[in-house]
Amino acid sequence: MSVTDEVLRVENLHVSVDDTPILNGMNLTINRGEIHVVMGRNGAGKSTLASVVMGHPDYEITSGSIFYMGTNIDEMTVFERARAGMFLSFQYPAVIPGVQVGTFLKKSVQSVHDEPLKGRAFRKELNAAMATLEMQKSVLSRYVNDGFSGGEKKRLEILQMLLLKPTLALLDETDSGLDIDALRIVAKGINSVAPQAGCLIITHYQRLLDHVQPHYVHVMIDGTIVRTGGPELALKLEEQGYDWLEEPQEVEA
Amino acid sequence: MSDEAREAVGDYKFGFHDPENATIRFDKGLSEQVVRDISELKNEPEWMTDLRVKAYHHFIQREMPDWGNCSELNNIDFDNVTYFLRSSDATENDWDDVPDDIKNTFDRLGIPEAEQKWLGGVTAQYESEAVYHSIREDLEDQGVLFLDMDSGLREHPELVKKFFGTVIPYGDNKFSALNTAVWSGGSFIYVPKGVHVEMPVQAYFRINAKNMGQFERTLIIADEGSSLHYVEGCTAPTYSTDSLHSAVVELIAMKGAKIRYSTIQNWSANVYNLVTKRGVAHENATVEWVDGNIGSKLTMKYPSVVLKGEGAHAEVISVAYAGAGQHQDAGAKVHHLAPNTTSSILSKSISKNGGRSSYRGMLQVTPKAHGCRSKVVCDALMLDSDSRSDTYPTMEVGNSTADLEHEASVSKVSGDQLFYLMSRGFSEEEAMGLIVNGFFEPFTRELPMEYAVELNKLLELEMEGSIG
Ligand SMILES: Nc1ncnc2c1ncn2[C@@H]1O[C@H](COP(=O)(O)OP(=O)(O)OP(=O)(O)O)[C@@H](O)[C@H]1O
Ligand SMILES: [Mg+2]
């Protein structure tokens, strides 16, 4: 694989919030076309990783660096990262009262792609993406995430991903709270973006992986990756939980 | 105005283009003589002169309100105000004298230069006048009277005499007394029984902007079963060298009539904006105020509705935006005097950069008023911790059958919202702009489209450079 295919590289990343360390020496490299899955117990630091890669100001990088497309992005603001092609599907998407989904999507695509949108072309693309995700048109006139069910929020996140066409997609528990049909539909969305992007999927459940084929599965404990494997690792975790990883040397030997 | 334009609009009633009326400006300060001179100059009937004089004396002895932002009120120097300025003067203002920041805002709101000049009162715009004229003819055919207040008094003295000051008597407050003493300009509208009118928005305010004085007086009467939506104001900043604006607006909705009065005002930061607005709703009538306040140094404005007839309804939707050095003291008052009357008040305010917004509300239900319902919602959004927001709700409920709801909330923009929006490509300012527009949305959606678009743009501009 050539160097130019590298989308994300996280190097020995240490991150704190209010002087409490959360990430303790993360290392991760994602190349274009790769799907990486990160699993781990509640509180392991998975969302923190996604937030810090996206540039959340509350998290302090105490050492280490993040490279996007080969460039150190430590100094980039959140919106600069978004405009550079990074995308985060939130575990808990924020509610923006009074702002209609349609307006929001259009403005967002405009900001990220930095060009005035042709109304008709945009509508066409929007219609197609909504059809893929089997979404109702009426969503467009609702307010962003306001009164949305858990599954509706996740579907809207994926709709945004389809429209923004990111180079790096960070998907934080996008599968949580989805019914069986919705899971399949969301997976379809992920699969349509994945070949052109690097994907980091944070999940607790194996079931998404029936629809999305990961290249790597990482297990995170206490802010660091303790093990990396293929799809079989996710199956094993599903069966055995995380305990066996706590004393990895002995169990493995 | 060119001769060609004059011909097109025919006999123009407002008079402010009449060369004979050029430049009459009174010296600063107020006295009984000034009041009499104003009245005489306008050739008013004696009863109006007398009313002005009485109001003047009341104004002189009336104490300043001891509530609201009194310390700021006491800074008003009444001797340093010009109380009468013939409207034709306004056209002599030079566009070059309008400050750059205001011109910039015009540009960025996308208001073209010709219109900017028009709004700035520099040039007459042929097209708008023609449009305006044809609309007037249209209304006249239906028997609607639509004049500036001075012409209204001249041409329909009986009607004016019957209603003028009946909703807001001069003794109501110090500023209604002042307005009654020195009023000039404003609108007079009478809608006959059963006629439905949607006022031409842009055309009207563009005409009226020029004609509007500091002490405009508006009187609107909707006769039985008629309806009117009147839109006043402008999202572009109203630049004014004079610092005191004190208008009075009286609405009368007869049985089964409906009046909606929508305003957006964006005053320059040196202005004291002290306006009394009140409507009376008779049996099964509706009065609605849609009121937006941006800018000014101090605004004190509480659109009110007196629900006088059984089954009458009041609706007040207001927004206020207080930036640095500004205090928006706004709200609503509803008086339920008759049975089965209903009201709904929604007030939204934003404070930023140390600005202060206050909600001041009054809800009254008299003992006779059985079966009334009212809902009051006030939401405040603070964009930083230097800013201030407070609520002063007053309720006087004399009838136990009243069904009253009151909700109030104060919120701050959350870090989660900003992070979410910024992760979607919006800069911090753009994100703030979206959140602010969203917060005002329940107000904005009540506005005619072009206003809504302009208001949203204006708020986005307000967010620029505001983040440290
Ligand atoms: N802004 C913050 N302030 C304080 N503590 C935080 C903050 N963000 C994260 N933490 C703490 O850091 C730890 C890791 O949180 P994080 O949200 O990254 O976990 P997670 O692996 O995503 O968990 P889950 O599976 O429950 O989503 C937790 O103990 C959490 O309480
Ligand atoms: Mg998480």
Side-chain angles (χ1 to χ4, degrees), chain B residues 167-168 218 220 229-230 232 248-252 259-263 275-281 286-292 301-306 313-319 331-334 344-346 443 446-447:
Chain B
V167 185
I168 304 173
T218 288
I220 297 177
H229 183 188
Y230 177 88
E232 167 216 285
V248 165
V249 180
E250 299 179 282
L251 309 182
I252 297 154
I259 303 177
R260 165 176 281 214
Y261 191 107
S262 302
T263 314
V275 173
T276 311
K277 287 181 159 180
R278 190 176 302 151
V280 171
T286 297
V287 170
E288 299 177 341
W289 297 103
V290 178
D291 201 70
K301 190 206 261 183
Y302 322 97
S304 324
V305 184
V306 180
H313 178 68
E315 189 111 12
V316 185
I317 305 174
S318 65
V319 298
K333 297 183 187 176
V334 177
S344 154
I345 295 171
L346 172 64
F443 173 84
E446 298 295 329
L447 299 173

Side-chain angles (χ1 to χ4, degrees), chain A:
Chain A
M1 190 152 305
S2 73
V3 184
T4 50
D5 279 343
E6 180 189 288
V7 173
L8 178 73
R9 186 166 87 249
V10 174
E11 262 182 21
N12 187 32
L13 192 67
H14 291 255
V15 169
S16 296
V17 173
D18 301 331
D19 296 326
T20 308
I22 298 173
L23 298 187
N24 305 298
M26 276 285 309
N27 286 292
L28 181 68
T29 300
I30 301 179
N31 294 307
R32 199 185 284 273
E34 288 178 359
I35 297 178
H36 290 242
V37 167
V38 172
M39 301 180 83
R41 289 200 187 97
N42 297 132
K46 304 179 297 297
S47 295
T48 302
L49 174 66
S51 296
V52 86
V53 168
M54 202 64 216
H56 196 301
D58 287 356
Y59 297 92
E60 190 199 348
I61 298 181
T62 51
S63 72
S65 294
I66 304 169
F67 296 86
Y68 172 68
M69 307 293 282
T71 313
N72 185 319
I73 56 167
D74 292 355
E75 298 300 317
M76 276 168 84
T77 62
V78 179
F79 67 90
E80 286 165 343
R81 295 177 199 216
R83 291 174 189 183
M86 299 169 68
F87 177 83
L88 170 58
S89 167
F90 283 68
Q91 183 176 1
Y92 305 110
V95 177
I96 315 292
V99 177
Q100 290 188 339
V101 169
T103 315
F104 167 74
L105 291 175
K106 187 162 180 216
K107 287 189 172 204
S108 167
V109 170
Q110 230 156 5
S111 305
V112 167
H113 296 159
D114 193 27
E115 58 188 37
L117 274 182
K118 298 226 172 30
R120 227 158 122 228
F122 174 71
R123 257 196 309 279
K124 217 173 133 191
E125 207 176 318
L126 181 59
N127 287 344
M130 290 184 81
T132 307
L133 299 177
E134 299 177 28
M135 290 173 81
Q136 302 276 333
K137 281 280 176 47
S138 57
V139 170
L140 297 175
S141 55
R142 294 180 66 182
Y143 300 145
V144 177
N145 293 318
D146 199 0
F148 279 39
S149 74
E152 286 170 337
K153 285 183 185 170
K154 297 301 166 80
R155 234 186 259 217
L156 181 57
E157 294 293 285
I158 295 302
L159 176 63
Q160 295 177 57
M161 182 177 73
L162 295 190
L163 296 172
L164 295 173
K165 303 189 191 73
T167 305
L168 174 67
L170 309 163
L171 306 168
D172 192 356
E173 295 200 26
T174 304
D175 57 339
S176 294
L178 294 182
D179 65 44
I180 297 157
D181 292 335
L183 185 72
R184 182 181 43 78
I185 291 163
V186 161
K188 194 162 63 171
I190 296 173
N191 286 326
S192 77
V193 167
Q196 303 77 251
C199 278
L200 178 73
I201 298 175
I202 295 168
T203 182
H204 286 296
Y205 308 106
Q206 204 297 125
R207 53 174 202 166
L208 176 67
L209 309 183
D210 292 340
H211 305 278
V212 176
Q213 289 296 308
H215 300 87
Y216 300 96
V217 174
H218 309 278
V219 183
M220 199 168 169
I221 293 182
D222 291 338
T224 180
I225 288 174
V226 299
R227 181 164 304 235
T228 296
E232 75 290 344
L233 183 53
L235 283 166
K236 182 165 180 186
L237 290 170
E238 183 103 336
E239 274 167 30
Q240 303 185 11
Y242 294 97
D243 280 351
W244 62 276
L245 283 159
E246 243 90 70
E247 306 117 66
Q249 265 74 17
E250 286 154 57
V251 177
E252 278 282 287

Side-chain angles (χ1 to χ4, degrees), chain B residues 159 162-163 190-191 193 220-226 251-259 280-287:
Chain B
L159 206 51
K162 187 171 167 196
F163 292 104
Y190 171 80
V191 187
K193 282 185 188 171
I220 297 177
I221 302 143
D223 214 329
E224 290 181 14
S226 70
L251 309 182
I252 297 154
M254 304 295 215
K255 185 175 172 182
K258 177 174 172 177
I259 303 177
V280 171
H282 292 278
E283 195 180 328
N284 290 322
T286 297
V287 170

Side-chain angles (χ1 to χ4, degrees), chain A residues 54 56 78-79 82-83 87-88 90 93-99 104 107-108 111-112 143 145 157 160, chain B residues 414-428 430 434-435 437-439 441-442 445 460:
Chain A
M54 202 64 216
H56 196 301
V78 179
F79 67 90
R83 291 174 189 183
F87 177 83
L88 170 58
F90 283 68
V95 177
I96 315 292
V99 177
F104 167 74
K107 287 189 172 204
S108 167
S111 305
V112 167
Y143 300 145
N145 293 318
E157 294 293 285
Q160 295 177 57
Chain B
S414 80
D416 286 349
Q417 287 176 316
L418 284 178
F419 181 52
Y420 187 73
L421 291 172
M422 287 170 74
S423 80
R424 298 306 186 245
F426 300 101
S427 69
E428 192 165 353
E430 289 165 346
L434 265 184
I435 292 169
N437 283 348
F439 180 76
E441 202 275 347
R445 73 164 167 240
E460 281 162 16

